[in-house]
Amino acid sequence: TSTNLSQGQVLMRDYKFEEAKIILKEMNDELCIRLRTHHVKTGSVGLYVRYSLASRHGEGFSHQMKLTIPTDLNSDLYASLLYLYNIYCDRNALIRGINVSFGSLTSSKNKQLSLFEDYETQHKEEELFSAIDDLQNKYGKNSVLRADSLTKDSTIKERHNQIGGHRK
C-alpha cells in the first residue's frame, strides 16, 4: 500500500470561495472511499488550492496538518480540510484547481481509542458510509450522491464518467 492517497482537479471554470466547498467535499468523499477500499486510515490531510490567473491573488496555497487520531470518516476529514481551506484560502480569489491528499496511512485494523470520541455516533457513521460504499460498488458511483452534488457547482457526476480526467 502507498503511504499517500491524493486526488486533484483542474476546474472547468473559476469558482468563488463558497462554490468551491462542494468540490472539496466531493473530493474528500472520493478519497474516503479509497481509504476504506484499501483498509487504511489517514493520519494527515493536505490541501493545495490554485487560484485562477484572472484573480490576481497569487498562485494559491498548499498546507497540511497532522490528525490527532488516524481516521477514514468523511465528516472528520472534511472538517480538517475545511479548517485548512477557511484559514488559508483568500476569500476574494477565484479558484481554478484543488488537490487533496491523505498521508501517513495506517492499517484500519489498528484502532486507537480516545476519551474524546463519541463511539456510538462514530459507529453509526462507519456503518452508513460502508453501506454507501457497497451501493456505489454494486450500482455505480452515481447511484448514491449527496443532495448538494446535484447543484450546478458540482463536478462529481462528470468526474465519475471519466478515466484519468478524460471521457470514457
Side-chain angles (χ1 to χ4, degrees), residues 1 16 36-37 39 43 46 50 52 59 62 66 69 73 79 89 105-106 111 128-129 138 155 158 166:
T1 309
K16 294 178 183 172
R36 292 187 291 272
T37 299
H39 307 287
R50 186 174 61 80
S52 166
E59 292 182 19
S62 178
K66 288 187 183 284
I69 296 174
L73 291 178
C89 192
L105 303 182
T106 58
K111 188 126 182 160
L128 170 68
F129 286 110
K138 186 171 183 174
T155 62
E158 184 178 321
H166 303 279

Side-chain angles (χ1 to χ4, degrees), residues 2-9 27 30-32 34-35 46-47 98-103 105:
S2 68
T3 58
N4 185 306
L5 289 176
S6 64
Q7 183 174 38
Q9 185 176 167
M27 292 175 77
E30 298 247 298
L31 279 176
C32 286
R34 289 174 54 194
L35 286 173
L47 176 62
I98 299 176
N99 287 64
V100 173
S101 65
F102 293 163
L105 303 182

Side-chain angles (χ1 to χ4, degrees), residues 15-41:
Y15 276 68
K16 294 178 183 172
F17 179 82
E18 287 298 321
E19 291 175 326
K21 288 181 181 179
I22 181 64
I23 305 300
L24 189 61
K25 187 183 288 186
E26 291 171 351
M27 292 175 77
N28 176 70
D29 287 347
E30 298 247 298
L31 279 176
C32 286
I33 290 170
R34 289 174 54 194
L35 286 173
R36 292 187 291 272
T37 299
H38 289 93
H39 307 287
V40 293
K41 295 185 178 198

Side-chain angles (χ1 to χ4, degrees), residues 106-142:
T106 58
S107 172
S108 291
K109 296 172 189 159
N110 304 338
K111 188 126 182 160
Q112 190 171 347
L113 301 176
S114 168
L115 297 172
F116 308 106
E117 295 289 319
D118 177 358
Y119 287 103
E120 187 174 322
T121 302
Q122 183 177 346
H123 182 69
K124 286 180 181 177
E125 187 172 345
E126 287 171 352
E127 287 181 333
L128 170 68
F129 286 110
S130 177
I132 290 171
D133 294 350
D134 290 345
L135 287 168
Q136 288 182 333
N137 285 332
K138 186 171 183 174
Y139 298 107
K141 290 182 178 181
N142 285 333

